[in-house]
């Protein structure tokens, strides 16, 4: 019984860590622009796909990883430069639709050039599961969790301690004022997209050994990432982690104890309940504007 | 001469792209091939195809376009059962012969005048698996199906025929087509008292994840998959974990291993070779269904001696012992699929390769 | 004559003469689908464009209508008109029940909650196989009212065009009325609206229910028209598609919504020529439109001609 | 003759098709305090926005210390030393007051930021008291102080003030004008838009009067105070 | 008309308003002054229902008003302007003003959908009236403009027009003269006088002492959320505490 519970928990943590990593990317772009980037999932896909294809082509794993992250980051920069920047001061919904367009374009390009097959990436530390109190955990899960933690801590430092990080936050909350204190808001957006695309790619690469990757994995990862980010509170790195893990665990517990058919619906029931009581998500900041 | 227009509505993108993509490639390739060898009835073939993005509503719209606007002579497609059922009423009304590439039994039961299909039904896949289980003395089976048209149709049929083989389904779990971890479901299955085997019904990467998770959890039960994973990709993705997995499959994956006496040997070998050369990709059994569809259609046209829709339909219904990738087709007024259970081969994965059982 | 009246008459005229250009069933089919989408988009625009409350779950309401019609007529033998009304009432009830807590949320959290609602609804459709046929879908009988069946594209065209005109007229009336102004004020400055006496919660709830009911009715209509339903109609992507119609055509523009629906319905048909590149081209068109016409097609063009400031 | 810091020639600017500035000519010399007065909608804010580069100029030229900056991006102008206290305060609401102030020094790399921070807290003690709170929770006047302090954190060479006394209590208005005089004494060039025309013109070296996008009058500040037209239109006399 | 008893509001640790009591008699002009951050705007937000009081009572027309929603209070005859502009930038200037008249028009959604008779006529009248009001507050030239095209000062006045469009019994103005020059302030002063003369009770927050002293029948001084003093203009002007905390020597 305990081992079962523990196994569900591991399953939830594994999946949850993936969601968390996806959510961090959302949070980052949201922090810089107030936009939910629907193309975030495609960066995840690009990372995983590039790495898998490079490895298949004989490139050593570490190099393949580095190149894949670069590919995704470049895609992020291009999307920002060609689609977000020209849209300039448009309303948020407009930008959101643009990111949907970008997402379709990237997915379509991957479909055309990388094909529709599924691809695997070798696990970083072997395929032998760790057995803990009768439950098993893949070493790759630890990679995912560890990297997620490191990324969130690093981002916490970036936003909390560095001037550039503050500049990113300032840009999202008041672009005009940001310009007036000398922040290069175009560069900030570029940075945010590049960085979150790179982060997305890291996520995509880390999970590829467990989940496989194909041109259309971005849809699901993107959606779950958005959900996790909103659950935890947009713009909060810690919230992204908690949101992601919570999402993963609720899914696993629902599948384990209630009904696997409704495991994807249950998190949303939970989210609706949470949002009714905490309209800013778990760790989101309250709006502070006064009248 | 006027080209013969073959219409196709396929799910080339979206969740069912795994099926629709090789189907389209196959049709394109064989239309080229046929045209090179002089076409059919001395007329070239022209393929008019649309991608329904795996949405039945769109399939319906595109079918209307094929019928009303493109005025096609024949329609192939409906990658999914949903799309097929959305198209069926249109072809019935417009009286256009139609071959579906989807698996559900309802497509041909009861037989509709203008609707035919090439793949084995999901029911046959379930029956084939249960038959194998019965022989091995496995009676308490856990079902794990994908939350997609393919998986749910399979689940329904498996539930329907289990009793016939003396099998009790002791667990009924599902997973999403893009799920990344199925250990929760498998843990639950593992804990079901007396469970003797696990039957997975799904497509693409999901069953591979299940297989890996199966190994991760150290479950020692026999694992059965459906024909949805009958492709080399599955073995590649699941790796060592796939060892010992059994599944029903058309002959295609074991083309090279078929005995020379096998009537299908030539057909499937040729198809596999041509596909691999033309597209630099692994042939897929789903592409095979499209091949069968196109070949049945053109064969019927030849026999009818015209593209008159009614005559082609009648000829199609009269198809006898037409050997294609899925098996030998014997259509009749009541059977618009024409395959028997024996068309499915039981395969097992041994040493990272397919082995033909019995 | 008011510009909106002129616009409406123009629309009515176009819809009246359009059949001349519809030379076969396929073109009729397209026009019907456009009209259906346009009607939903006009309703949704009242919520999104005018009131400023995003919904990523409207396909769920569409799905309720569609499946209510499908299930009640084919499994329980109810008359299709009654089934449509039951679907609409059920949608209204559900929308009303969830609206209050959901519409307290703002921005992306509202998007999240509506998305969740839509996904829960579509999961029900996928999983309740016995009722809905599951992912493989279910057939729907023809629509009949007082023993008369609507058959054939021409008849359907008349029906959906009448509905579209009715909904458009009502929406135009509304935005020109005090209630419509209140909706826009909620979008512009919610606190100011409340201080001016606008019961913002009640207005949001009512317009949410209204747009949901429009979606539901069009769901029923679509179900009978197409004759076959799969869970995709209630799914997330359909919701996104509907929102895209509104934003692409132009937020807070009734005619914009219609245009958006027309463009988004037509586009996949036109793009089928781009074999394999459909997704790419579609994405690019979406992006370019929003970059160069950031307020949506119609309002931006109107601004360009009227020369109003950014 | 002192160096001309800001030189504006025939500057026009549009919002869409609406022209807000119709050829403004204006000079600000090193160390001067120049005041700009005008009715609502005259174009004062637009002029300041154009100088800072957040509103595009349609034609004409803006030169800063002899260099043409008409097409320069805003952040480069800040780097060059042009800081603005914008209309409507524009604080970074969700961020803490201290973060707001530090962001004021965003372009600076020197080590005296901490020192300046303390200086600002010295001038506006309430900001120190609330340093860790989100700026959005401040009262209107407190936000105005924050906006002023934030601009000063940039160590401007040219300070653009858009109604800095708006919403401030009388005592603080005095304080603000004291600060402005002190900044001027420190040699900072100041361009002041102020509705409190009396106070502004009284301390200004030069005053400009702007009406519907045209400069209609200019001269030494105190002199303008006695101009009949100015008296009637802006001083309520 | 308005009675506030022991009203307090705290935000976390910040005591924005503490134990404030005062009465506003019908038909008078009542000013609330005090240093920045004294709690004036918070007081307005409490009275108009935007905040719920932490403790204390508010009586409006002898009936409890504390914690009631803004729209209900509006129904009971309250209207206000904001220190931080709350203008609907998605609408035209005149429509903004017409929103103010919301309660006096048919607000039913159904009536709007079907354009019930009478509605259009009332609406047209409302438009004319709104135009008059815009003229009255001095933004007549923006009659056909979009709100987003107006300057800051013009928007401030537009808010006053919107508040007046409600035909309130009690009008609360938060810094109506901010951003106006002396001449414009004098205009606003005359305008407020006219409004008050028409029988509307006015409560205003303002830092322009000339306007406050000229207009007010009664002045309430807040400091650190507490009542510092209360009285007529003359009394307040002489009050040493008020001079020290707020007015300074020059006033
Ligand atoms: N975003 C905008 N779009 C269109 N017109 C605008 C916009 N902003 C300002 N205007 C117009 O430009 C002119 C100048 O406005 P500006 O804000 O510069 O005036 P101002 O002198 O600062 O007035 P105030 O004292 O009210 O702040 C005004 O006529 C105004 O209506
Ligand atoms: N939502 C809030 N959260 C935290 N503190 C708040 C909040 N609202 C107001 N305060 C604090 O309460 C105090 C009173 O603010 P208020 O806005 O009422 O002042 P005010 O008298 O209107 O000042 P001003 O003249 O500058 O407008 C201020 O110190 C402010 O920081
Ligand atoms: Mg201004
Ligand atoms: Mg205040």
């Amino acid at each position: 019984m305990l081992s079962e519970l523990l196994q569900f928990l591991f399953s939830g943590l594994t999946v949850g860590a993936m969601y968390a990593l996806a959510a961090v990317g959302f949070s980052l772009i949201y922090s810089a622009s107030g936009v939910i980037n629907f193309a975030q999932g495609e960066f995840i896909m690009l990372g995983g796909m590039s790495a898998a294809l490079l490895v298949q082509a004989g490139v050593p794993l570490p190099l393949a990883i580095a190149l894949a992250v670069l590919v995704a980051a470049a895609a992020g920069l291009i999307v920002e430069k060609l689609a977000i920047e020209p849209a300039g001061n448009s309303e948020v919904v407009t930008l959101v639709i643009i990111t949907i367009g970008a997402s379709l374009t990237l997915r379509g390009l991957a479909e055309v050039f990388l094909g529709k097959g599924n691809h695997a990436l070798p696990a970083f530390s072997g395929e032998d599961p760790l057995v803990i109190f009768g439950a098993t955990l893949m070493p790759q899960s630890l990679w995912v969790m560890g990297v997620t933690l490191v990324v969130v801590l690093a981002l916490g430092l970036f936003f909390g301690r560095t001037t550039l990080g503050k500049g990113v936050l300032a840009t999202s909350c008041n672009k005009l004022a940001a310009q007036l204190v000398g922040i290069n808001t175009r560069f900030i957006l570029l940075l945010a997209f590049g960085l979150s695309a790179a982060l997305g790619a890291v996520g995509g690469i880390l999970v590829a050994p467990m989940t496989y990757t194909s041109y259309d994995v971005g849809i699901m990862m993107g959606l779950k990432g958005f959900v996790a980010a909103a659950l935890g509170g947009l713009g909060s790195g810690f919230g992204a982690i908690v949101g992601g893990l919570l999402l993963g665990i609720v899914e696993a517990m629902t599948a384990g104890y209630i009904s696997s058919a409704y495991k994807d619906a249950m998190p949303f029931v939970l989210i609706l309940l949470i949002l009714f009581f905490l309209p800013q998500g778990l760790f989101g900041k309250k709006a502070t504007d006064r009248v | 001469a006027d080209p013969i227009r073959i219409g196709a509505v396929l799910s080339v993108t979206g969740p069912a792209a795994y099926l629709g993509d090789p189907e389209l490639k196959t049709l394109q390739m064989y239309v080229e091939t046929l045209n090179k060898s002089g076409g059919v009835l001395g007329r070239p073939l022209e393929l008019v195809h649309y991608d329904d993005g795996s949405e039945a509503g769109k399939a319906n719209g595109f079918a209307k376009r094929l019928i009303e606007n493109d005025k096609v002579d024949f329609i192939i497609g409906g990658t999914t059962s949903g799309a097929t059922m959305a198209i069926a009423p249109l072809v019935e009304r417009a009286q256009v012969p139609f071959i579906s590439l989807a698996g559900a039994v309802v497509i041909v039961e009861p037989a509709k005048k203008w609707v035919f299909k090439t793949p084995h039904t999901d029911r046959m896949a379930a029956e084939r698996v249960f038959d194998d289980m019965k022989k091995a003395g496995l009676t308490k089976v856990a079902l794990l199906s994908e939350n997609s048209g393919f998986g749910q149709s399979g689940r329904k049929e498996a539930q329907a025929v289990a009793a016939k083989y003396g099998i009790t389904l002791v667990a009924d779990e599902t997973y999403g087509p893009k799920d990344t971890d199925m250990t929760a479901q498998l843990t639950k299955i593992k804990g079901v008292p007396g469970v003797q085997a696990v039957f997975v019904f799904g497509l693409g990467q999901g069953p591979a994840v299940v297989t890996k998770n199966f190994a991760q959890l150290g479950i020692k039960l026999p694992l059965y998959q459906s024909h949805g994973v009958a492709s080399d990709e599955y073995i590649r993705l699941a790796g060592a974990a796939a060892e010992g997995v059994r599944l029903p499959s058309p002959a295609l994956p074991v083309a090279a291993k078929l005995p020379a006496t096998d009537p299908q040997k030539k057909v499937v070998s040729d198809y596999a070779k041509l596909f691999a050369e033309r597209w630099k990709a692994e042939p897929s059994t789903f592409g095979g269904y499209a091949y069968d569809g196109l070949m049945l259609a053109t064969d019927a046209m030849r026999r009818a001696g015209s593209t008159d829709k009614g005559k082609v339909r009648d000829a199609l219904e009269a198809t006898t012992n037409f050997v294609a990738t899925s098996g030998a087709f014997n259509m009749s007024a009541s059977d618009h699929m024409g395959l028997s259970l024996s068309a499915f081969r039981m395969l097992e994965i041994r040493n990272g390769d397919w082995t033909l059982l019995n | 004559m008011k510009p909106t009246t002129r616009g409406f008459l123009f629309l009515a005229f176009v819809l009246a003469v359009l059949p001349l250009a519809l030379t076969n069933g396929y073109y009729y089919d397209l026009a019907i689908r456009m009209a259906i989408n346009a009607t939903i988009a006009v309703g949704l625009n009242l919520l999104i464009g005018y009131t400023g409350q995003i919904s990523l779950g409207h396909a769920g309401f569409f799905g309720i209508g569609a499946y209510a019609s499908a299930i009640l007529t084919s499994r329980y033998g109810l008359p299709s008109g009654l089934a449509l009304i039951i679907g609409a009432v059920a949608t209204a009830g559900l929308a009303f029940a969830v609206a209050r807590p959901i519409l307290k949320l703002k921005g992306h959290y509202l998007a999240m909650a509506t998305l969740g609602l839509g996904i829960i609804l579509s999961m029900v459709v996928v999983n309740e196989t016995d009722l809905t046929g599951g992912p493989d879908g279910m057939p729907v009988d023809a629509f009949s009212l007082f023993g008369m069946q609507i058959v054939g594209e021409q008849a359907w065209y008349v029906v959906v065009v009448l509905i579209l005109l009715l909904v458009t007229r009502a929406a135009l009336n509304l935005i020109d009325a005090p209630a419509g102004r209140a909706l826009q004020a909620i979008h512009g400055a919610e606190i100011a609206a409340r201080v001016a006496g606008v019961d913002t919660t009640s207005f949001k709830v009512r317009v949410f229910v209204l747009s949901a009911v429009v979606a539901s009715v069009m769901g029923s209509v679509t179900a009978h028209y197409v004759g076959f339903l799969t869970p995709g109609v209630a799914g997330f992507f359909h919701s996104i598609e509907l929102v895209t119609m509104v934003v692409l055509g132009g937020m807070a523009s009734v005619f914009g919504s219609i245009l958006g629906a027309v463009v988004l319905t037509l586009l996949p048909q036109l793009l089928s020529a781009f074999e394999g590149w459909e997704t790419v081209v579609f994405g690019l068109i979406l992006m370019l439109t929003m970059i160069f016409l950031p307020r949506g097609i119609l309002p931006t063009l109107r601004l360009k001609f009227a020369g109003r400031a950014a | 003759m002192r160096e001309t810091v800001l030189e504006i020639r025939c500057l026009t600017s549009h919002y869409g098709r609406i022209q807000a500035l119709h050829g403004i000519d204006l000079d600000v010399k090193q160390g001067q305090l120049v005041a700009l007065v005008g009715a609502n909608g005259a174009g004062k804010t637009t002029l300041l926005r154009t100088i800072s580069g957040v509103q595009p100029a349609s034609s004409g030229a803006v030169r800063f210390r002899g260099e043409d900056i008409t097409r320069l991006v805003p952040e480069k102008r800040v780097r060059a030393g042009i800081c603005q206290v914008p209309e409507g305060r524009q604080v970074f609401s969700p961020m803490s007051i201290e973060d707001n102030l530090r962001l004021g020094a965003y372009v600076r790399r020197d080590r005296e930021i901490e020192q300046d921070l303390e200086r600002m807290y010295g001038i506006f003690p309430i900001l120190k008291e609330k340093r860790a709170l989100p700026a959005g929770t401040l009262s209107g006047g407190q936000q105005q102080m924050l906006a002023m302090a934030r601009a000063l954190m940039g160590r401007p060479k040219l300070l653009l003030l858009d109604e800095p006394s708006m919403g401030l209590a009388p005592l603080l208005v005095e304080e603000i004008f004291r600060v402005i005089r002190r900044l001027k004494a420190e040699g900072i060039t100041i361009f002041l838009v102020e509705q409190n025309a009396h106070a502004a013109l009284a301390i200004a070296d030069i005053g400009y009067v702007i009406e519907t996008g045209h400069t209609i009058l200019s001269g030494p500040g105190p002199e303008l105070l006695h101009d009949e037209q100015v008296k009637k239109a802006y001083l309520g006399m | 008309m308005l009675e506030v008893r022991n009203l307090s509001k705290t935000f976390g640790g910040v005591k924005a308003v503490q134990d404030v009591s005062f009465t506003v008699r019908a038909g008078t002009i009542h000013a609330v002054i005090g240093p920045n951050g004294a709690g004036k705007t918070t007081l307005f937000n409490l009275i108009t229902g935007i905040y719920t009081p932490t403790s204390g009572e508010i009586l409006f027309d002898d009936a409890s008003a504390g914690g009631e929603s803004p729209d209900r209070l509006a129904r009971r005859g309250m209207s206000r302007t904001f220190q931080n502009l709350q203008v609907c930038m998605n609408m035209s200037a005149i429509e903004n003003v017409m929103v103010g008249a919301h309660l006096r028009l048919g607000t039913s959604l159904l009536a709007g959908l079907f354009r019930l008779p009478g509605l259009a006529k009332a609406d047209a009248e409302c438009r004319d009236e709104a135009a008059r009001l815009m003229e009255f507050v001095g933004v007549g030239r923006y009659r056909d403009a979009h709100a987003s095209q107006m300057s800051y000062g013009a928007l401030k006045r537009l808010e006053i027009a919107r508040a007046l469009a409600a035909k309130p019994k009690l009008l609360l103005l938060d810094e109506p003269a901010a951003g106006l020059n002396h001449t414009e302030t004098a205009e606003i002063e005359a305008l407020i006088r006219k409004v008050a003369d028409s029988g509307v009770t006015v409560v205003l927050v303002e830092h322009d002492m000339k306007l406050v002293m000229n207009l007010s029948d009664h002045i309430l001084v807040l400091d650190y959320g507490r009542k510092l003093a209360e009285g007529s203009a003359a009394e307040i002007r002489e009050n040493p505490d008020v001079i020290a905390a707020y007015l300074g020597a020059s006033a």
Side-chain angles (χ1 to χ4, degrees), chain C residues 174 177-180 203 206, chain E residues 102 105-113 116 119:
Chain C
L174 179 62
F203 267 99
R206 281 182 282 165
Chain E
H102 175 75
L105 297 165
T107 60
S108 145
L109 212 57
L110 282 181
L113 284 170
L116 294 189
L119 199 72

Side-chain angles (χ1 to χ4, degrees), chain A residues 89-110:
Chain A
N89 303 320
S90 303
E91 273 191 67
V92 168
V93 266
T94 303
L95 294 175
V96 168
I97 300 288
I98 290 179
T99 66
I100 292 179
S103 145
L104 290 170
T105 310
L106 289 175
R107 191 187 317 145
L109 288 173

Side-chain angles (χ1 to χ4, degrees), chain A residues 3-4 7-8 10-12 14-15 18-19 56 111 116-121 127 129 134 136-138 209-217 220-221 224 251-264, chain B residues 11-15 17-18 20-21 25 51 144 147 172-185 187-188 190-192 203-210 212-213 215-218 233 236-239:
Chain A
S3 74
E4 248 185 35
Q7 189 63 56
F8 295 149
F10 284 170
S11 166
T14 302
V15 179
M18 300 179 199
Y19 295 165
Q56 273 171 34
E111 182 187 333
K116 288 177 194 157
N118 291 296
H119 302 273
L121 200 61
E127 304 259 8
T136 55
L137 186 65
M138 298 305 278
M210 289 187 292
T211 68
Y212 310 118
T213 181
S214 60
Y215 79 101
D216 62 349
V217 291
M220 199 276 300
M221 285 307 273
K224 293 288 166 76
E251 276 183 17
M253 293 295 165
T254 308
Y257 290 117
I258 303 173
S259 147
S260 51
Y262 280 101
K263 87 174 170 40
D264 284 324
Chain B
S11 304
V12 185
T13 56
Y18 188 74
D21 185 56
K25 289 190 165 125
D51 170 20
L144 177 56
N147 221 335
D172 175 23
E173 299 293 326
T174 63
Y175 66 86
K178 285 283 159 195
D179 277 3
T180 50
D181 183 286
M182 284 67 149
T183 50
Q185 289 92 324
T187 305
K188 207 168 157 191
K190 193 180 168 189
V192 174
L203 276 177
Q205 118 280 15
V209 175
V210 172
K212 271 207 167 178
N213 290 164
Q216 175 195 337
L217 294 174
E233 185 183 272
R236 209 177 54 240
L237 291 178

Side-chain angles (χ1 to χ4, degrees), chain C residues 37-47 164 167-168 171 246 254 257-258:
Chain C
N37 283 334
T39 309
I40 304 171
V42 167
L44 192 57
N45 202 351
L46 290 178
L47 179 72
L164 172 62
V167 171
T168 305
V246 172
V254 171
S257 300
I258 297 174

Side-chain angles (χ1 to χ4, degrees), chain B residues 6-57:
Chain B
I6 306 280
V9 181
L10 303 169
S11 304
V12 185
T13 56
Y18 188 74
L19 318 179
D21 185 56
E23 288 168 358
L24 174 63
K25 289 190 165 125
T26 302
L27 291 183
Q28 287 173 328
M29 174 170 85
Y30 277 95
V31 165
E32 284 166 24
T33 315
L34 286 171
N35 283 342
K36 246 178 250 158
S37 58
V40 176
L41 303 173
R43 291 164 63 187
L45 292 179
E46 183 188 335
L47 179 66
V48 186
H49 66 90
Y50 298 111
D51 170 20
D52 65 24
S54 308
E55 278 172 43

Side-chain angles (χ1 to χ4, degrees), chain A residues 290, chain D residues 139-141, chain E residues 40-42 83 174-175 205 207:
Chain A
R290 300 193 46 211
Chain D
S139 83
Chain E
K40 306 179 292 294
T41 299
T42 308
Q83 183 178 8
D174 200 346
E175 305 203 2
V205 166
H207 291 300

Side-chain angles (χ1 to χ4, degrees), chain C residues 55-81:
Chain C
S55 168
L56 293 185
H58 257 54
F61 299 125
F62 181 95
I64 294 181
Y67 275 96
S69 282
I71 293 169
L72 293 177
T73 53
S74 63
R75 302 217 200 280
Y76 297 98
L78 260 53
S80 33

